[in-house]
Amino acid sequence: MKAGSGSRRFVYEETEWSEEPMSPTGRLMEDVGVHIVAMLGLGIPLNLPVFRAGIEKELLPRYPRFSSIQVMDDSAGGKPRWVRTAVNLDDHIIIPNVDPAIVASDPEKAIEDYVAALTTVPMDRRRPLWDVHFLDFPTPKATSTMVLRMHHSIGDGMSFMTLFVASSRSTDDPSRQAAMPPPRRTGPIYQLKPRPPLLPCKALLVWLLSYLVLVWHTLVDGVLLIATILFLCDPRTLFTRADSGRKAHIRKRFMHRSLSLDDVKLIKTVINCTINDVLVGVTSAAISQYYFRKSGDIISKKICLRSFLLVDARPVSSRQTCVSKVETGNRFSGLICPFHIALHDDPLEHVRKAKRLMDRKKNSLEVMLTRAVGDFLVKYFGVKIGAFVLRLFLTRTTIMLSNVVGPAEQITLCGHPVVFMAGSIYGQPQALTVHYENYGNTIEVTLAVDDAQFPDCHQLLDDFDESMKLIKDAASLHTLTSVHCD
């Protein structure tokens, strides 16, 4: 059922941004068919007129691609362009009729089933490629739930997150915009040491050596990137997509769980690493726990799998500046992140290994190389070849992994307080996607799984919760031991 309030249309104001060519990354996402799903738990029942007015006033003016369609530009060799158009919100706001008996029995499963069914429904390409669905019934986590579905060609996770923050207010202080957390890094993911003074010679030698290491790591990562495109595949495990990624429109199920940001920071302090290192370690531990229980395999040999870790390519010296001026489009890259399926006596070892791996990746230009390869393929061989190569590359890795930084405090969006944010993607040729999202004092972990391949997917989600507890307990014990030793 669609929302009804007449057929009023939102008509954009004429600006310099009436047309814009699609970026190479956007064209790749278009051809591969990747979509973003953002589930927002609301703290009050839906007030449709208020939310609708907020969309018209806040979201549409700030993000031009919500008011744009894709048009082929014959004068530019048949390349697609974004062209502004009038938006009829009745075409984009949907309030479905969900069976009351199903809702009463298990409201969270009712939402899961609805969103899973949504992943099999194509979007109408004659309209801007987004729609919002309101499930106006309570769950243990929220009073009502909003599901925003968008085509990945119109933007990436970070651009949408900054849009949400820019269009909202702080729940604690509605007079101001919500604050973003301080940046975890002030430059690109790779590390370049500043040039030392000419004297002493030892410092200069160390500086030159750091560049040689950077070049060597980049060369190795580049070879592995090309090898993965050509022939290098992960070993087949129960996480490998059963159909090898050939089928399209596979039904995806999304589940999410809240983890404590304070627990993550405790582990971060004990290991002296980053929050991202902790999350990669928790993923490795959870995947290992699920694998050994499910397979019954008790071998001690480690199994090395690889994830494709998405990385925001925007400068992050000031996230609040990015919020003030929302950046549209896709500005992300990625790197191959190996992890081992293994059991460790000390759960912290998963995080230590993740730290060593990510420290190694920070001494490489792999992120720049990956983006350059994608742009090169689209520019010189066309989007069809580029999309084919991207699909081939993704089928030869096992997991998609990402982490999006959200606001440091709870927000009120379009007059509705948001109690949780859980986002993910579908359309990519992998059976499992793990997505982390900071919001306030929690980190929401969202799993997107092939519905038929993981009938016990909630056990996998439980493993993430259990792995976090085990690693946090080990970190707490390590802290107590250190205090007693001192």
Side-chain angles (χ1 to χ4, degrees), residues 48-61 167 414-415:
L48 184 58
V50 171
F51 215 116
R52 181 186 179 108
I55 292 175
E56 291 182 342
K57 180 181 177 181
E58 301 288 349
L59 298 182
L60 295 183
S167 304
C414 299

Side-chain angles (χ1 to χ4, degrees), residues 29 33-40 63 66 115 118-119 121 123 129-133 146-161 164 252 254 310 314 329-332 402 404 422-428 433 435 437 446 448:
M29 295 299 100
V34 182
H35 297 70
I36 295 176
V37 171
M39 296 168 286
L40 279 66
Y63 207 82
F66 274 4
V115 179
L118 195 63
T119 64
V121 179
M123 305 191 82
L129 298 176
W130 64 276
D131 47 45
V132 60
H133 305 250
M146 163 189 163
V147 180
L148 179 61
R149 180 176 65 153
M150 306 149 283
H151 200 286
H152 210 312
S153 62
I154 68 178
D156 57 26
M158 200 62 223
S159 65
F160 291 130
M161 181 59 70
F164 290 156
K252 286 292 181 76
F254 301 93
L310 299 178
R314 295 174 179 84
N330 290 278
R331 293 190 61 187
F332 69 90
S402 69
V404 171
S424 192
I425 60 175
Y426 70 91
Q428 75 284 5
T433 298
H435 185 97
E437 193 163 321
T446 305

Side-chain angles (χ1 to χ4, degrees), residues 27-310:
R27 294 169 65 191
L28 280 177
M29 295 299 100
E30 161 69 18
D31 202 82
V32 174
V34 182
H35 297 70
I36 295 176
V37 171
M39 296 168 286
L40 279 66
L42 306 179
I44 61 175
L46 171 66
N47 186 329
L48 184 58
V50 171
F51 215 116
R52 181 186 179 108
I55 292 175
E56 291 182 342
K57 180 181 177 181
E58 301 288 349
L59 298 182
L60 295 183
R62 280 192 169 94
Y63 207 82
R65 292 184 186 177
F66 274 4
S67 309
S68 304
I69 58 174
Q70 298 172 12
V71 175
M72 300 304 292
D73 188 351
D74 295 332
S75 64
K79 295 180 180 179
R81 299 181 64 85
W82 294 108
V83 177
R84 296 291 282 270
T85 185
V87 178
N88 185 356
L89 288 182
D90 292 336
D91 295 332
H92 298 270
I93 298 178
I94 301 169
I95 303 178
N97 292 316
V98 183
D99 188 341
I102 297 177
V103 172
S105 173
D106 191 342
E108 289 189 310
K109 186 176 185 301
I111 292 177
E112 276 187 23
D113 291 343
Y114 180 82
V115 179
L118 195 63
T119 64
T120 64
V121 179
M123 305 191 82
D124 188 344
R125 311 199 69 79
R126 296 169 299 177
R127 303 166 182 158
L129 298 176
W130 64 276
D131 47 45
V132 60
H133 305 250
F134 290 104
L135 300 164
D136 194 20
F137 53 82
T139 67
K141 295 180 180 179
T143 304
S144 57
T145 304
M146 163 189 163
V147 180
L148 179 61
R149 180 176 65 153
M150 306 149 283
H151 200 286
H152 210 312
S153 62
I154 68 178
D156 57 26
M158 200 62 223
S159 65
F160 291 130
M161 181 59 70
T162 56
L163 170 66
F164 290 156
V165 177
S167 304
S168 65
R169 311 304 294 174
S170 167
T171 300
D172 293 335
D173 183 4
S175 65
R176 63 175 175 84
Q177 190 181 75
M180 292 290 282
R184 299 170 188 168
R185 54 184 171 88
T186 57
I189 189 173
Y190 55 86
Q191 297 173 338
L192 293 176
K193 296 183 179 180
R195 181 175 178 177
L198 293 179
L199 292 177
C201 294
K202 183 177 180 180
L204 181 60
L205 182 62
V206 170
W207 177 73
L208 290 174
L209 182 60
S210 69
Y211 271 80
L212 291 176
V213 171
L214 181 74
V215 171
W216 170 250
H217 286 166
T218 303
L219 179 62
V220 172
D221 291 337
V223 170
L224 290 176
L225 176 67
I226 300 301
T228 301
I229 293 174
L230 296 177
F231 63 87
L232 184 61
C233 296
D234 283 1
R236 293 193 65 82
T237 65
L238 53 87
F239 301 107
T240 307
R241 185 156 160 172
D243 61 5
S244 299
R246 288 187 293 271
K247 293 181 181 178
H249 306 299
I250 294 293
R251 178 182 166 112
K252 286 292 181 76
R253 180 169 295 273
F254 301 93
M255 308 154 296
H256 57 95
R257 184 78 53 85
S258 295
L259 306 177
S260 169
L261 181 58
D262 290 336
D263 289 349
V264 173
K265 288 181 177 179
L266 170 65
I267 301 167
K268 167 183 174 289
T269 301
V270 170
I271 302 297
N272 188 26
C273 61
T274 67
I275 289 178
N276 198 59
D277 296 341
V278 175
L279 299 180
V280 173
V282 169
T283 303
S284 175
I287 295 299
S288 298
Q289 188 167 311
Y290 179 85
Y291 173 82
F292 285 109
R293 183 185 65 250
K294 182 77 173 178
S295 67
D297 190 353
I298 57 173
I299 61 174
S300 58
K301 185 174 117 178
K302 297 174 184 176
I303 302 173
C304 182
L305 301 178
R306 296 176 300 165
S307 66
F308 187 62
L309 177 61
L310 299 178

